[in-house]
Amino acid sequence: MGETKKAALGFIFITLLIDVTGLGIIIPVLPTLIKELIKGDLSTAAEYGGWLTLAYALTQFIFAPVLGNLSDQYGRRPVLLFSLLGFGIDYLFLAFAPSIWWLFIGRIIAGITGASFTTATAYIADISTPEKRAQNFGIIGAAFGLGFILGPVIGGLLGQFGSRIPFFAAAGFSFLNFAYGYFVLPESLSKENRRKFDIKRANPLGSLMQLKKYPAISGLIFTLILMYIANNAIQSTWSYYGMQKFGWNEAWVGYSLGFVGLMVGIVQGGLIRWVIPKFGPEKVLYIGLFLSSLGLLLFAFATNGLLMFAFIVPYALGGIAGPALQSIISGFAPANEQGELQGALASLMSATTIFAPPVMTNLFAYFTNNKAPVYFPGAPFLLSSILVLIGIFLAAKSLKTHPVIKQNL
């Protein structure tokens, strides 16, 4: 890879890092803000948290393929900047919210403009050679991990001064990121690899239909779906789970998520660059899925907060599965369709996020309210562990049935 491409990877890493840090800042304090606005308990707040995620996911499901296709015509840079600006506006809505409905408006704005990860994935695909693609996709995980070291810790500490302070900080990070991208981030998609925008290929269902062009990877797509659903147990219920079961405050939620970020950063930023070349994407996929399932199972039955920190290790190591699976799937699309493919995958993720967070948060609420038949706040983690196990069998069947996949590894 030339010096220009190395520099471009550095630019996209910094852009994602600032973006994820802003997102991570708000996570530890969101349950508290929701409780204040609805004047309810943690179980009820968790239900609202799930519906807020649905509002974001539904709008992103509709608009992600539009932005992905626009990036195939106009380039990645303008779409990425538009996305970053939208996140900043979202955080300001959350910071000034006088009622719970303002939170929904902010999340809808973020869903419409939220294409930063989709565009970043296409950006990396643009500048990566096939043999380096999986390793370079690890940059997304590394930025995500480091951002989640900094963001939740900052958010947890700022949350001690008020539930709204972290949202102002997140808005500041987003606007800073926009300025950085505007002045520094180069374009990755050459003009000869661009194609005209086609509205038929940009609608969400049409975008998902584009995945039918690659029937050999259908089993891997279903594995990806199950991974997305399982990850929602962490994203949707971690803060509520820690506060409910272990009595964590915002600071401890931040510390725990910071440790998750540290481990993810080590795995994605370092380990992934060693294990994929040594063992190959297929073996790495199986090992990662198993470790992820194990970590989720351990979370479900943890008896104290310190054990949660220990169980983060196998769960984070399971993160090697993501870049391996992403590499296998992306290898089936030409350069001028990477934006469309990543937009379709983002729509797929958004589709699962439409129903998965309400399922996970309502499952948590059901097993933690006063009328629960059994008190079991770890129910979302147990369900997620089972889903990832199913994903292992689907991936194995797909790789065994379609030898063409192995030829592309």
Side-chain angles (χ1 to χ4, degrees):
M1 179 178 294
E3 292 300 318
T4 301
K5 290 185 177 180
K6 288 183 179 179
L9 281 175
F11 293 145
I12 204 70
F13 174 79
I14 295 297
T15 300
L16 287 174
L17 174 61
I18 299 175
D19 195 17
V20 176
T21 300
L23 176 63
I25 284 174
I26 72 172
I27 293 178
V29 293
L30 189 58
T32 302
L33 179 59
I34 294 174
K35 283 175 62 179
E36 292 175 1
L37 293 175
I38 65 171
K39 297 178 174 59
D41 59 15
L42 200 59
S43 293
T44 307
E47 294 182 59
Y48 274 95
W51 297 122
L52 282 168
T53 306
L54 182 150
Y56 170 78
L58 182 59
T59 49
Q60 189 180 60
F61 174 72
I62 296 171
F63 286 95
V66 174
L67 295 179
N69 276 265
L70 285 173
S71 79
D72 280 339
Q73 176 173 352
Y74 297 107
R76 317 302 183 198
R77 184 176 179 274
V79 173
L80 187 58
L81 293 177
F82 176 71
S83 175
L84 298 175
L85 187 63
F87 273 120
I89 295 172
D90 164 46
Y91 294 140
L92 287 181
F93 263 89
L94 271 59
F96 287 108
S99 70
I100 190 68
W101 303 113
W102 275 54
L103 300 191
F104 281 95
I105 294 173
R107 291 282 78 191
I108 289 171
I109 292 173
I112 293 172
T113 62
S116 58
F117 282 95
T118 303
T119 311
T121 305
Y123 191 110
I124 292 172
D126 291 339
I127 63 175
S128 299
T129 59
E131 62 271 15
K132 290 288 186 180
R133 187 178 288 119
Q135 296 180 45
N136 290 339
F137 277 135
I139 287 176
I140 297 177
F144 193 91
L146 186 56
F148 261 89
I149 296 172
L150 301 174
V153 174
I154 294 172
L157 294 174
L158 291 178
Q160 305 299 300
F161 301 98
S163 60
R164 297 173 187 265
I165 300 299
F167 295 94
F168 288 108
F173 270 96
S174 292
F175 292 131
L176 175 65
N177 204 0
F178 173 83
Y180 170 81
Y182 184 83
F183 289 107
V184 178
L185 191 69
E187 179 56 62
S188 65
L189 186 64
S190 60
K191 291 185 177 181
E192 59 268 22
N193 283 328
R194 299 186 185 186
R195 63 174 179 82
K196 289 186 177 181
F197 178 82
D198 183 355
I199 190 64
K200 293 181 180 180
R201 300 171 71 173
N203 72 79
L205 296 179
S207 178
L208 289 177
M209 290 300 102
Q210 294 301 315
L211 294 175
K212 294 174 65 176
K213 290 160 44 175
Y214 316 106
I217 58 172
S218 59
L220 297 179
I221 294 295
F222 280 112
T223 298
L224 195 63
I225 291 172
L226 294 178
M227 289 175 61
Y228 286 153
I229 296 173
N231 284 335
N232 273 286
I234 300 293
Q235 299 168 9
S236 303
T237 65
W238 183 273
S239 299
Y240 303 98
Y241 181 70
M243 291 178 173
Q244 177 76 28
K245 190 170 183 179
F246 309 120
W248 285 350
N249 59 16
E250 292 87 351
W252 274 103
V253 172
Y255 298 148
S256 65
L257 288 173
F259 185 61
V260 172
L262 174 62
M263 290 303 305
V264 170
I266 291 172
V267 171
Q268 302 287 350
L271 183 62
I272 196 70
R273 293 179 173 271
W274 174 75
V275 296
I276 288 184
K278 184 174 180 62
F279 299 105
E282 183 179 348
K283 288 182 180 179
V284 170
L285 175 61
Y286 295 145
I287 295 170
L289 290 174
F290 172 77
L291 289 172
S292 179
S293 178
L294 176 63
L296 288 164
L297 181 65
L298 293 172
F299 288 152
F301 294 98
T303 55
N304 61 68
L306 290 179
L307 283 177
M308 290 292 286
F309 281 79
F311 297 156
I312 285 170
V313 175
Y315 174 76
L317 289 174
I320 60 177
L325 184 55
Q326 191 84 29
S327 174
I328 296 170
I329 293 173
S330 67
F332 282 80
N336 66 353
E337 292 183 7
Q338 284 294 332
E340 179 183 56
L341 173 63
Q342 301 306 330
L345 293 179
S347 291
L348 194 65
M349 181 173 65
S350 296
T352 60
T353 311
I354 289 170
F355 67 86
V359 168
M360 296 298 179
T361 54
N362 278 276
L363 191 62
F364 171 84
Y366 177 77
F367 283 101
T368 56
N369 66 42
N370 295 330
K371 298 180 180 180
V374 178
Y375 178 77
F376 184 41
F381 297 119
L382 177 59
L383 174 61
S384 297
S385 177
I386 295 170
L387 293 178
V388 175
L389 279 179
I390 295 173
I392 295 176
F393 292 105
L394 288 176
K397 182 179 179 180
S398 183
L399 289 167
K400 181 179 180 180
T401 306
H402 301 285
V404 65
I405 297 179
K406 294 186 178 182
Q407 294 172 15
N408 283 273
L409 296 183

